[in-house]
Amino acid sequence: MPERLWYLKHCDLFQQLTMQQLTGLEARCRSKTFPRGSPVYLPADYADAVLLLAEGRVKIGGFTEEGKQTILAFIEPGEVFGELALAGSTEREEYAEAVEKSSVVLMPREALEALLAENPQLALGVTKLFGLRRKRIERRLRYLLFRSNRERLVHLLIELAERYGRQNSEGVELTIKLSHQDLASIIGSTRETVTVVLGELQSEGRLSIGRRKIVLKDLPELASSVNVPVPKLAEA
Amino acid sequence: MPERLWYLKHCDLFQQLTMQQLTGLEARCRSKTFPRGSPVYLPADYADAVLLLAEGRVKIGGFTEEGKQTILAFIEPGEVFGELALAGSTEREEYAEAVEKSSVVLMPREALEALLAENPQLALGVTKLFGLRRKRIERRLRYLLFRSNRERLVHLLIELAERYGRQNSEGVELTIKLSHQDLASIIGSTRETVTVVLGELQSEGRLSIGRRKIVLKDLPELASSVNVPVPKLAEA
DNA sequence: AACCCTGTGTGTGTTGAATCACAGAAAACT
DNA sequence: AGTTTTCTGTGATTCAACACACACAGGGTT
């Protein structure tokens, strides 16, 4: 299946590999598709593969005993997830769910480990990936503690703008559709409070909200109100 | 200075290196000592080195604008910190402080990067280190969200027991001295609440507290009360 | 000794946010 | 089209945790 190779080839992580290495890896991979809402893996699953998202969108998170969801991250096409399998874990600790119909490439752990051992460049890439995600999560942790729901939400919106923001005539529009419940699950709050706080922010003129759509009217002002640097947008 | 070499040699990360590589690295390092309470590095410092703690104890964390401290981790002798410098950061994001008189070895980033490029084993080790710490912090995040102060504290105590617990006749004693303020800074709470909750737990017979000293009377019971597996103790 | 200074214990407001409980609106199905 | 499900908006109520304010204990230090 040549398209699988295409996905591997276009993954940032594998840019340094030779064509031979790529096809070797490809031969050991398998593909799988998941319907919207279905789990990709569950906590305590055996972690024998790293996954590459080809299409769709996946969320990584967990649940409390009372059924409350926490969202740790969203994965976009071309990104790798479940990579903690490379760090010595044999079990998943988190939960990965396809939020849209998604297709993923499963890369067996041993295949990757073999590649890593012979390819320092790749190992460096993996290290950077780990580091990047760790930095992101440490930042999250630091701004979640001791901060009001409002601050957490504003901070989150700014973070989202960095990845999903697109400048238009009204301001910066978030190109990812998230429900209030999703936002709450990220900042550790409840749907209702998110609704209320968003309403406040709107009536203050800082943003405008539609159904699953948010436009930040004045990103720099918003950023300075919570003492963070103004992010550059990834999208045009 | 031969003792610096000794510290490098006894760091888990560098087990795979040849003597030649070690001495090469050693030649490029510098040592420094920090008195109790002094900062090792600050946010926005230039991150040109990874640090190895030789003696003492260091805490990693951050501050909010209002001066509240969050503690992300404690570093013990033999452990590496500030390693995010290897992941492409040029600036520190966090704050590192010596909580006791500490001596550290500074390893310049370029020296380590050169070693990494030629030594896949080492790269793998760094990856594992990143992964381990990331797992730890993701777990923290997941249990901080949506949980009461009490649950967070209990969870923390169990986590501490895993690293610092020593079995004695009374139960499991935590061999790290932490003030209530410290505990609060880790779980994102206040000193007073921690005092109260600890008091409750004591009067329930689950633990006994002394000045900067905590003994968990029944670790398995405590663990099951928050639905986590009973940890194995690192110390005898 | 007397003195600090850092921890700890407790009580009393005050409040932000969770919970509960609906109602209307838009999307997704069939 | 109509029906169902998922979202959103809003209020009333309750409660956990914070802030503030002291009092006291223990360890050091001089």
Side-chain angles (χ1 to χ4, degrees):
Chain A
M1 204 181 265
E3 49 180 284
R4 192 159 63 206
L5 186 58
W6 189 92
Y7 288 125
L8 288 173
K9 193 173 169 183
H10 285 77
C11 176
D12 281 354
L13 247 195
F14 303 126
Q15 290 310 306
Q16 314 288 345
L17 295 187
T18 64
M19 205 55 198
Q20 197 183 10
Q21 289 174 315
L22 273 175
T23 53
L25 176 60
E26 192 273 340
R28 307 205 42 194
C29 292
R30 257 164 317 127
S31 303
K32 206 161 171 216
T33 71
F34 296 87
R36 172 178 150 82
S38 67
V40 177
Y41 57 76
L42 301 169
D45 271 7
Y46 185 56
D48 56 350
V50 176
L51 301 96
L52 167 63
L53 180 62
E55 286 169 36
R57 176 172 287 149
V58 167
K59 74 176 167 199
I60 312 292
F63 282 95
T64 69
E65 300 71 39
E66 304 89 44
K68 291 192 182 171
Q69 187 178 193
T70 70
I71 298 179
L72 291 178
F74 284 97
I75 305 297
E76 305 295 321
E79 292 185 323
V80 155
F81 63 106
E83 73 278 9
L84 283 178
L86 291 176
S89 327
T90 62
E91 278 196 0
R92 307 288 181 196
E93 295 204 352
E94 353 75 59
Y95 169 75
E97 174 190 319
V99 289
E100 299 168 11
K101 183 170 183 298
S102 300
S103 81
V104 308
V105 179
L106 290 98
M107 304 176 285
R109 185 180 55 212
E110 312 89 60
L112 280 175
E113 279 173 347
L115 268 183
L116 278 177
E118 69 186 35
N119 198 319
Q121 281 302 314
L122 179 60
L124 195 62
V126 173
T127 303
K128 292 232 155 113
L129 176 69
F130 273 57
L132 186 74
R133 295 201 169 160
R134 207 183 109 198
K135 220 166 11 173
R136 209 181 275 167
I137 206 131
E138 286 194 359
R139 206 177 320 173
R140 268 268 285 293
L141 187 60
R142 253 176 303 130
Y143 82 71
L144 282 182
L145 298 183
F146 300 116
R147 265 148 176 129
S148 68
N149 253 321
R150 180 187 168 121
E151 282 174 295
R152 310 214 293 234
L153 183 54
V154 169
H155 212 125
L156 171 60
L157 291 176
I158 292 168
E159 202 178 79
L160 288 173
E162 189 165 4
R163 258 188 103 182
Y164 301 103
R166 187 191 306 166
Q167 185 68 240
N168 70 18
S169 58
E170 313 245 320
V172 177
E173 175 180 351
L174 301 184
T175 60
I176 182 176
K177 306 297 185 207
L178 294 174
S179 68
H180 294 182
Q181 180 60 67
D182 288 332
L183 295 171
S185 295
I186 300 176
I187 62 171
S189 177
T190 58
R191 199 225 90 219
E192 295 91 323
T193 20
V194 167
T195 302
V196 169
V197 173
L198 281 178
E200 285 172 20
L201 289 167
Q202 179 170 42
S203 64
E204 292 168 17
R206 293 163 182 270
L207 48 79
S208 88
I209 52 188
R211 215 181 159 70
R212 282 162 155 271
K213 174 183 168 181
I214 297 178
V215 179
L216 310 180
K217 298 286 205 179
D218 188 351
L219 181 54
E221 193 274 339
L222 209 55
S224 77
S225 78
V226 290
N227 295 304
V228 295
V230 181
K232 294 162 198 65
L233 309 185
E235 309 201 12
Chain B
M1 204 182 268
E3 50 179 282
R4 192 160 64 208
L5 185 59
W6 189 91
Y7 288 124
L8 287 175
K9 192 173 168 181
H10 285 77
C11 175
D12 281 355
L13 246 195
F14 302 127
Q15 290 311 306
Q16 314 287 346
L17 295 187
T18 65
M19 205 53 200
Q20 198 182 11
Q21 288 174 315
L22 273 176
T23 53
L25 175 61
E26 191 273 340
R28 307 206 43 196
C29 292
R30 257 166 313 128
S31 303
K32 207 162 170 213
T33 70
F34 296 87
R36 175 179 149 84
S38 66
V40 177
Y41 57 76
L42 301 168
D45 271 6
Y46 184 56
D48 56 349
V50 176
L51 301 97
L52 167 63
L53 181 61
E55 286 168 36
R57 177 172 287 150
V58 168
K59 74 176 166 198
I60 312 291
F63 281 94
T64 69
E65 300 71 38
E66 305 91 44
K68 291 193 184 172
Q69 189 177 191
T70 70
I71 298 179
L72 292 178
F74 284 98
I75 305 296
E76 303 296 322
E79 292 185 324
V80 153
F81 64 106
E83 73 279 10
L84 284 178
L86 291 175
S89 327
T90 63
E91 278 196 359
R92 305 290 181 195
E93 295 204 352
E94 355 73 57
Y95 170 75
E97 175 191 318
V99 289
E100 300 168 9
K101 183 171 184 300
S102 299
S103 82
V104 308
V105 178
L106 291 97
M107 305 175 284
R109 185 180 55 212
E110 314 89 59
L112 280 174
E113 279 173 347
L115 267 184
L116 278 177
E118 67 186 37
N119 196 318
Q121 281 303 315
L122 179 60
L124 195 62
V126 173
T127 303
K128 292 229 158 118
L129 177 68
F130 274 51
L132 186 74
R133 295 201 170 159
R134 204 182 112 201
K135 220 166 10 173
R136 210 181 276 169
I137 209 136
E138 286 193 358
R139 206 177 319 173
R140 267 270 282 294
L141 219 178
R142 255 177 300 136
Y143 83 70
L144 282 182
L145 299 182
F146 299 116
R147 266 147 173 132
S148 70
N149 255 322
R150 179 187 168 120
E151 281 173 297
R152 310 216 290 239
L153 182 54
V154 169
H155 210 127
L156 171 60
L157 291 176
I158 292 168
E159 204 178 78
L160 288 174
E162 188 164 6
R163 257 187 103 183
Y164 300 104
R166 187 192 307 166
Q167 185 69 241
N168 69 21
S169 58
E170 312 247 318
V172 177
E173 175 179 351
L174 300 184
T175 60
I176 182 176
K177 304 296 185 211
L178 294 175
S179 69
H180 295 182
Q181 180 60 67
D182 288 331
L183 296 172
S185 295
I186 299 176
I187 62 171
S189 177
T190 58
R191 199 225 91 219
E192 296 91 322
T193 331
V194 168
T195 302
V196 169
V197 174
L198 281 179
E200 284 173 20
L201 289 167
Q202 180 171 40
S203 64
E204 293 168 15
R206 294 165 183 269
L207 48 80
S208 88
I209 52 188
R211 214 179 162 69
R212 281 160 153 275
K213 175 182 168 181
I214 297 177
V215 179
L216 310 180
K217 299 284 204 178
D218 187 351
L219 181 54
E221 192 274 338
L222 209 54
S224 76
S225 78
V226 290
N227 295 304
V228 294
V230 181
K232 292 162 200 65
L233 309 186
E235 311 202 9

